[in-house]
Amino acid sequence: MSAAGKSGAYGAMLEEDPDQTYENVLAEIQSFELPIEATLRSVYDDQPNAHKKFMEKLDACIRNHDKEIEKMCNFHHQGFVDAITELLKVRADAEKLKVQVTDTNRRFQDAGKEVIVQTEDIIRCRIQQRNITTVVEKLQLCLPVLEMYSKLKEQMSAKRYYSALKTMEQLENVYFPRVSQYRFCQLMVENLPKLREDIKEISMSDLKDFLESIRKHSDKIGETAMKQAQQQKTFSVTLQIKQNNVKFGKNMYINDRIPEESSEIVLKHTFEEEEENEEEVLTVQDLVDFSPVYRCLHIYSVLGDEEAFENYYRKQRKKQARLVLQPQSNMHETVDGYRRYFTQIVGFFVVEDHILHVTQGLVTRAYTDELWNMALSKIIAVLRAHSSYCTDPDLVLELKNLIVIFADTLQGYGFPVNRLFDLLFEIRDQYNETLLKKWAGVFRDIFEEDNYSPIPIVNEEEYKIVISKFPFQDPDLEKSFPKKFPMSQSVPHIYIQVKEFIYASLKFSESLHRSSTEIDDMLRKSTNLLLTRTLCSCLLNLIRKPHIGLTELVQIIINTTHLEQACKYLEDFITNITNISQETVHTTRLYGLSTFKDARHAAEGEIYTKLNQKIDEFVQLADYDWTMSEPDGRASGYLMDLINFLRSIFQVFTHLPGKVAQTACMSACQHLSTSLMQMLLDSELKQISMGAVQQFNLDVIQCELFASSEPVPGFQGDTLQLAFIDLRQLLDLFMVWDWSTYLADYGQPASKYLRVNPNTALTLLEKMKDTSKKNNIFAQFRKNDRDKQKLIETVVKQLRSLVNGAACARGEMFLPTEATTGVQLLPSSGRSQYRILTVETRQTR
């Protein structure tokens, strides 16, 4: 029963029978049932004065128990006394027994100490043995793990990262599951991802160092690859030359190099060089350590991140490709700039080709082709831009050789290079332009140094020297010495330089993988450009120079004639170089004929111009007294000097073709006649006397005598004298004063003064009219003078009418006249008499 239940029950009993209740409580207390708190509480809490009553009951109970105890003790007291007595009797025996037991115990203890020690040792040994056995078992289980982990550490220290990754796989898949319960295993497991990341970072760092290394050493790689390609090509070309020489025999060059001996020397040198360098041939593997790439590729393959590695590698190499393809700003200044540019590109693609063939999937053929096409477009653009700045043909030629070696090297690695050879044809045009500019300077120097005199030869040795330089054939020159070649020193020099130009142009055509027909065509076209543009331009500039006189122009014409004749030898020279016959259908001919013909025409025109300029210089020395009353009786000094000069210069023209000399002579006479006519009609000349006209007539007579003396052979009849016919008829008209005949026959085909223009006659007559007025102050007092003045005025009027009539025929307006009066001068033995004649003229509208 619970305490609460007991308390309730006691409460009910107290109300009914308190005495019995206290008895029950005391019985329960004496029974030692615990706890008694609830029982006591029910006694004290349920009834007033219950405590006191309970204590009274309790005291009564205690007295009863004491009485019972006393009865019990009284009953057993004798037994107790007997027991005490017995105890006292055995006390001594107990003491002895105690001593004996103590002694025995001591002896046992002393005797058991050694056993205890040994027992403890045995126990300890057993425990150690068991522990050792356990440890051995566990160590045998853990030792392979530890060994593999130690091996992993050694592989990491030795940078054998691929092997380290394989060891990690073994640890994870085989060893760690055996010892997964141990803490060190958990630490190892937790450390493996970090090791993998370290390996990735270290391998990537090695790859970056590799990429940086090959970027720095790509020029060395490319230089080695290009050198090997060049050695192989030199060997092949030299062997081919040897075979061609054996097959076709010697290749005869005109008066110049014979290449067979030199080819044998080159071939021998090539064989020796191949033998010497046979053991020194380096490959890309010798120059570059590709192990970082292999390691990194294997590592990323093991880690399952191969695609990320491939993307990273390709991305970085594309960046390096752009850097490699970026040229320096001054690359075109030296050949080393181009060489460095090419070697870097070759080194880059040689590495990529090696990576393509030794790895699986890191780079693909499609990737390298795409990279090469991008690079090729950039290379072509760079070479086009920079080669345009090259003005030195030697630099352009070296650039061409570098491009050929560059193309051959990359072609050997499987890259298409047709576009590079197409670019070479563009550079060939640039090369030809630089050659033309260079040879323009050479030609100018030759022309500047020439004395424009025939080459003198004293003996046969000098003759042979000139013949060895220029193909000239003249049996007369071989018979006796000293003599002179007709041409000047510039002719053999120019001929030699044209051949040197052909050689220089041929150098560019070598190694272009073109047929002999194409090379022949290129040589002929470039030679034509040299002749038609460069040499012709230099000749034209030379001809127009102020210091070139008539003698020099004559020599230039002679020189061009011989150069024109030498063009066929230049064609033979090209034919012997290329072994292409001139009879081939598509063979280009040299344009020397038209080139030198144009130069001769320009020289001839310059001769005519300079000859006229010289005549003008003499004419400017004329110092006529236009108001003289009587002539000097002899020709003017300036005119005689001019005629003597013309005689001497026409003597030099005997070396020119006949038509040129005749044309020059006719042009000079016509120009002299025109100059004399302009002198009479000069607007600044206001008056002229009859004596001046007579003096002028003496000068014209000397001109006519010079024309009739045939200064240049080949003129028929009086053809040359016709140059002065205008002057002659004009002067005859004024000398004879035959105005009636002139006016009457004017316009008739058979007119005696058909070449006299009325305007010209009017101009000259007006000048004489002014002079007559000023010189005859008292003319109005003398009848003869008055008649003369009237006659002049009459003729002037009629001439004006003729001039106006001619103007009307051309559509001009003038006032018509019904009739004019003509005056004719009648010469007599004494004095001049004049009579007036009436000449009917038609009215003109």
Side-chain angles (χ1 to χ4, degrees), residues 428-536:
R428 181 198 63 189
D429 297 335
Q430 175 69 17
Y431 176 71
N432 286 336
E433 289 297 325
T434 58
L435 284 182
L436 293 175
K437 291 179 181 179
K438 178 180 178 180
W439 257 259
V442 172
F443 290 149
R444 285 194 296 268
D445 294 339
I446 291 175
F447 290 141
E448 290 293 333
E449 296 171 0
D450 194 11
N451 57 6
Y452 298 99
S453 300
I455 303 173
I457 50 174
V458 179
N459 49 42
E460 185 177 359
E461 185 176 343
E462 293 183 357
Y463 173 78
K464 290 181 178 179
I465 291 175
V466 177
I467 291 300
S468 66
K469 297 179 180 178
F470 184 76
F472 182 80
Q473 297 178 355
D474 188 355
D476 295 336
L477 281 176
E478 302 178 8
K479 294 179 180 178
S480 60
F481 300 96
K483 283 191 176 182
K484 292 183 178 181
F485 281 95
M487 64 278 188
S488 65
Q489 288 287 352
S490 61
V491 173
H493 291 165
I494 289 175
Y495 182 78
I496 291 174
Q497 288 301 322
V498 172
K499 292 172 69 175
E500 290 296 328
F501 176 86
I502 294 173
Y503 275 122
S505 181
L506 178 63
K507 288 180 181 178
F508 196 93
S509 301
E510 296 173 349
S511 306
L512 292 185
H513 309 298
R514 296 294 172 178
S515 64
S516 299
T517 303
E518 292 175 310
I519 294 176
D520 181 85
D521 185 63
M522 287 188 289
L523 288 180
R524 293 179 184 273
K525 287 182 178 179
S526 60
T527 306
N528 277 330
L529 284 176
L530 179 72
L531 296 176
T532 58
R533 195 171 74 181
T534 304
L535 182 56
C536 183

Side-chain angles (χ1 to χ4, degrees), residues 670 673-674 677 681 719 721-731 733 742 745-761:
Q670 289 177 346
S673 175
T674 301
M677 180 69 78
L681 302 178
T719 302
Q721 299 178 31
L722 293 177
F724 301 97
I725 188 63
D726 292 352
L727 270 175
R728 173 47 49 208
Q729 290 186 7
L730 179 63
L731 292 174
L733 177 61
Y742 174 75
D745 296 343
Y746 177 75
Q748 300 298 323
S751 174
K752 180 180 178 180
Y753 304 103
L754 181 64
R755 309 285 296 187
V756 178
N757 189 291
N759 198 10
T760 302

Side-chain angles (χ1 to χ4, degrees), residues 617-749:
E617 293 176 4
F618 279 99
V619 171
Q620 288 175 2
L621 299 176
D623 188 16
Y624 287 102
D625 182 6
W626 298 106
T627 60
M628 65 174 58
S629 57
E630 296 293 337
D632 293 340
R634 62 179 182 275
S636 302
Y638 85 92
L639 188 65
M640 297 307 297
D641 294 339
L642 173 58
I643 291 175
N644 292 332
F645 165 75
L646 292 177
R647 290 184 188 279
S648 64
I649 199 65
F650 288 146
Q651 187 67 28
V652 178
F653 284 4
T654 55
H655 300 290
L656 292 174
K659 292 184 179 179
V660 177
Q662 293 172 10
T663 304
C665 186
M666 176 60 75
S667 174
C669 292
Q670 289 177 346
H671 186 72
L672 176 58
S673 175
T674 301
S675 299
L676 293 174
M677 180 69 78
Q678 290 176 351
M679 190 184 299
L680 286 176
L681 302 178
D682 190 1
S683 59
E684 295 182 359
L685 179 59
K686 302 301 182 182
Q687 55 186 358
I688 184 171
S689 65
M690 193 63 193
V693 173
Q694 293 171 353
Q695 179 64 40
F696 198 81
N697 183 56
L698 292 176
D699 294 343
V700 175
I701 291 173
Q702 290 298 323
C703 294
E704 291 172 335
L705 291 175
F706 168 74
S708 62
S709 65
E710 197 175 3
V712 174
F715 286 107
Q716 296 179 356
D718 57 351
T719 302
L720 192 58
Q721 299 178 31
L722 293 177
F724 301 97
I725 188 63
D726 292 352
L727 270 175
R728 173 47 49 208
Q729 290 186 7
L730 179 63
L731 292 174
D732 285 348
L733 177 61
F734 278 86
M735 292 295 296
V736 180
W737 209 256
D738 194 7
W739 292 105
S740 59
T741 303
Y742 174 75
L743 294 172
D745 296 343
Y746 177 75
Q748 300 298 323

